[in-house]
Amino acid sequence: MIQSMEKGAAYIGGKWVRPPGTRLYEVVNPATGERLAEVIHCGPSEVDAAVEAAHSAFQESGWRTLDPSKRERILRKIGDLIESNAKELARIESLQNGKTVREALRGDIPPAWDIFHYYAGWITKYYGHTVPVSGPYLAETRIEPIGVVGAIVPWNFPLLLASWKLAPALAMGNTVVLKPAEQTPLTALYLAELLEEAGIPPGVVNIIPGFGDTGALLARHMKVRKITFTGSREVAREILRASADSNLKRVSLELGGKSPNIVFSDADLDRVSDVAFGEIFGHKGEVCSASSRLLAESSISGELIRRLKDKAERMVLGDPQHPKTQMGSLISRTQLERVERYVSSGLKEGAALVCGGKRHLDNGCDRGFFFRPTIFARVKPHMKIAQEEIFGPVLSVMDFDSEETLIETANSTVYGLVSMIWTRDIGRAFRIARRLESGTVWINAAGPFDSAMPFGGVKESGWGREMGMEALKEYTQVKSIWIGLEY
Ligand code: NAI
Ligand code: MG
């Protein structure tokens, strides 16, 4: 274990802070119940100190006025350091989250280093315009940072989601206070050491472990100018209220989904069943973009379900650190109980349980929160398991016969994060893509992500975009400067 984890301290103004007498809590490995670290639960004085540090760093550290090429070099270096620490970061991610090391090594860490490299490149390439206005003026727009950004992230991709926020915020000259999820603060604390090594000045990034109350303090703070949040809709509402009740700080939100995977009978079922399986059972289904609804054309839905069931029954659950393991432990008892409630609700509402539906308890798994990959068939759009985000390894399969009912069903939830379409008929695919209420549509593509491609939701999946050029707008404001030419 590295130093920062042993310290379990907050990282404020370039120093590790854990005053005697502060509240501490235990971070545990959800797969085993084993204690990983004892970490500070930041309260009002730490939150205030972190925001003050970020505020003075914004005013005085020279971060926002640093030569763009120097800022670029530092961001590149952060990316490089994440890359060279990939194995250790993946191991810790697996220990604190319960996902497999293999998943973390592929799905969490590489995109985290890539996002720093990507935004490093933008620093010298994102700038204002000279605008052709009426009258004797030179009119220019200047792109400026917002100030102190509060980043509140969840536990499902701890380092990656923090990086999606940190990289563009820092690239554009902001300073940041990061509040990791209570379950998974350890890679964020590890990152603090890498940031320091890369040359981030003290106070530019501050990390305050804690619970919801810690996040709430940040969201209400008068010197925080923006909150960027990933998590639940309930907390998003709290954050909006906090903004309204404090300084009207800007807010961007990524709130998960109930994403449809739409499969027509002309699709390649070998390929589609592989993807459909990975998209709901990868990372235990605790993924905002998980394809948790499979909308299959009636003529092939039986066959698709048979293939998925076969894979699900063969899926290897167990020690997340073991290279052969395919699915690890859910994040917590709370999340396990949430999944169990949804399974009961599916049964009660008349869906047909195809497989799973229960905990996996073999070979020591009873110490963790392992849940068998679960498939429900004959799901109807009004059912809870068709409407609500379960955030676990539960797939709801619904059949369709016409394009109209398909679109109606696909759009029938409050969410709109991603959708998948599988068909050889490209005209049909585009026709449907245009009508889906969804921030992203993947056509015949297995859920690709790229730092250059914006990602985010419509409807209650959230506001704003992460990644790509679009996210730069989330961390900047435009100043219009007029110069009279005939003065
Ligand atoms: P949550 O939304 O409560 O937690 C996310 C983050 O917000 C954590 O860092 C937490 O400490 C913080 N937080 C909690 N209350 C807060 C408040 N009042 N003010 C400011 N920050 C606060 O998510 P939770 O309870 O862990 O999971 C519940 C459900 O939320 C999941 O089952 C899933 O449906 C959804 N979720 C969606 C995610 C996504 O990727 N969009 C990620 C995590 C959860
Ligand atoms: Mg919560």
Side-chain angles (χ1 to χ4, degrees):
M1 296 278 155
I2 67 153
Q3 239 190 338
S4 54
M5 286 174 58
E6 279 168 10
K7 285 193 203 116
Y11 181 70
I12 299 174
K15 297 201 171 66
W16 293 100
V17 176
R18 181 166 148 165
T22 38
R23 286 180 297 177
L24 300 172
Y25 74 98
E26 284 191 353
V27 176
V28 296
N29 178 341
T32 60
E34 165 209 7
R35 171 178 129 162
L36 296 172
E38 195 174 52
V39 175
I40 185 170
H41 173 173
C42 289
S45 59
E46 290 83 23
V47 174
D48 203 50
V51 176
E52 286 299 339
H55 182 71
S56 28
F58 186 69
Q59 304 297 340
E60 295 150 23
S61 74
W63 177 246
R64 65 175 153 156
T65 51
L66 194 65
D67 284 352
S69 62
K70 291 196 179 127
R71 218 179 320 139
E72 173 175 352
R73 224 173 301 145
I74 293 176
L75 257 74
R76 281 217 134 265
K77 180 120 191 252
I78 299 170
D80 292 345
L81 287 170
I82 295 176
E83 185 172 6
S84 56
N85 284 267
K87 275 202 171 143
E88 184 60 1
L89 286 165
R91 195 178 72 83
I92 300 169
E93 217 64 302
S94 165
L95 285 173
Q96 65 178 355
N97 167 282
K99 68 175 72 188
T100 65
V101 175
R102 240 185 45 215
E103 286 170 323
L105 257 181
R106 277 182 47 190
D108 290 68
I109 312 302
W113 81 60
D114 190 68
I115 199 83
F116 282 99
H117 289 162
Y118 173 76
Y119 282 113
W122 268 115
I123 295 170
T124 53
K125 297 167 194 71
Y126 192 59
Y127 41 76
H129 301 282
T130 305
V131 183
V133 294
S134 303
Y137 303 103
L138 170 60
E140 75 146 19
T141 58
R142 238 177 87 78
I143 308 284
E144 297 190 343
I146 303 173
V148 178
V149 170
I152 302 175
V153 297
W155 41 263
N156 55 337
F157 291 82
L159 179 73
L160 176 58
L161 299 184
S163 301
W164 280 5
K165 298 176 186 320
L166 278 166
L170 294 175
M172 294 295 104
N174 300 279
T175 59
V176 182
V177 178
L178 170 66
K179 210 296 279 172
E182 50 271 36
Q183 302 87 344
T184 55
L186 302 180
T187 42
L189 296 176
Y190 192 117
L191 180 66
E193 300 204 349
L194 304 183
L195 296 172
E196 216 171 87
E197 192 180 338
I200 289 281
V204 170
V205 178
N206 307 274
I207 301 175
I208 48 166
F211 286 67
D213 59 313
T214 314
L217 288 164
L218 194 58
R220 271 199 303 272
H221 203 288
M222 294 300 284
K223 286 189 178 165
V224 173
R225 292 283 162 210
K226 186 209 162 105
I227 292 283
T228 169
F229 172 71
T230 301
S232 65
R233 280 150 67 233
E234 293 69 30
V235 172
R237 288 184 162 80
E238 294 292 328
I239 287 171
L240 290 172
R241 273 190 282 269
S243 165
D245 292 342
S246 57
N247 58 351
L248 294 176
K249 56 179 64 67
R250 284 168 61 177
V251 172
S252 54
L253 306 167
E254 201 273 86
L255 310 176
K258 192 71 188 174
S259 298
N261 182 2
I262 298 165
V263 184
F264 283 93
S265 55
D266 63 349
D268 171 352
L269 291 194
D270 282 340
R271 173 98 173 104
V272 170
S273 54
D274 280 351
V275 175
F277 189 82
E279 284 294 310
I280 183 62
F281 299 129
H283 301 260
K284 312 160 267 165
E286 293 168 340
V287 182
C288 54
S289 60
S291 297
S292 52
R293 293 185 295 156
L294 178 61
L295 276 50
E297 198 165 7
S298 305
S299 55
I300 46 123
S301 99
E303 176 58 22
L304 204 49
I305 290 169
R306 257 191 305 281
R307 292 178 187 219
L308 290 168
K309 174 175 190 261
D310 184 48
K311 287 183 205 297
E313 282 171 346
R314 282 187 286 116
M315 196 171 197
V316 180
L317 278 73
D319 177 7
Q321 306 277 313
H322 195 284
K324 290 250 161 64
T325 302
Q326 293 170 301
M327 199 197 305
S329 163
L330 301 185
I331 184 74
S332 61
R333 179 168 302 283
T334 311
Q335 202 61 23
L336 172 74
E337 287 169 356
R338 180 187 169 99
V339 171
E340 286 176 333
R341 274 198 305 278
Y342 278 111
V343 169
S344 310
S345 133
L347 291 169
K348 210 156 86 209
E349 290 191 291
L353 184 66
V354 175
C355 61
K358 56 178 191 296
R359 287 180 73 174
H360 179 88
L361 301 165
D362 306 348
N363 304 327
C365 285
D366 55 330
R367 292 181 298 149
F369 312 112
F370 295 80
F371 201 82
R372 292 296 316 171
T374 299
I375 302 175
F376 276 108
R378 295 206 293 276
V379 177
K380 301 287 171 258
H382 68 270
M383 293 178 184
K384 267 195 175 150
I385 57 166
Q387 288 292 323
E388 297 179 16
E389 182 176 54
I390 300 173
F391 226 61
V394 181
L395 179 66
S396 300
V397 187
M398 292 181 262
D399 297 3
F400 71 85
D401 287 303
S402 79
E403 222 170 285
E404 276 315 303
T405 57
L406 158 68
I407 288 166
E408 200 180 306
T409 304
N411 290 340
S412 69
T413 76
V414 298
Y415 291 105
L417 192 59
V418 305
S419 308
M420 274 193 177
I421 306 173
W422 298 91
T423 175
R424 293 274 164 219
D425 180 344
I426 202 67
R428 170 162 74 185
F430 266 96
R431 202 159 62 228
I432 292 168
R434 289 177 177 197
R435 294 180 66 192
L436 289 174
E437 296 166 349
S438 184
T440 291
V441 180
W442 288 307
I443 299 172
N444 299 335
F449 278 82
D450 194 289
S451 297
M453 197 66 169
F455 177 77
V458 301
K459 302 201 298 192
E460 292 188 38
S461 285
W463 300 348
R465 291 291 176 270
E466 311 220 57
M467 300 194 280
M469 187 177 176
E470 277 71 10
L472 296 171
K473 299 197 183 88
E474 308 287 346
Y475 298 97
T476 52
Q477 49 201 358
V478 177
K479 181 177 281 169
S480 301
I481 302 184
W482 297 72
I483 304 155
L485 297 177
E486 294 175 3
Y487 174 67

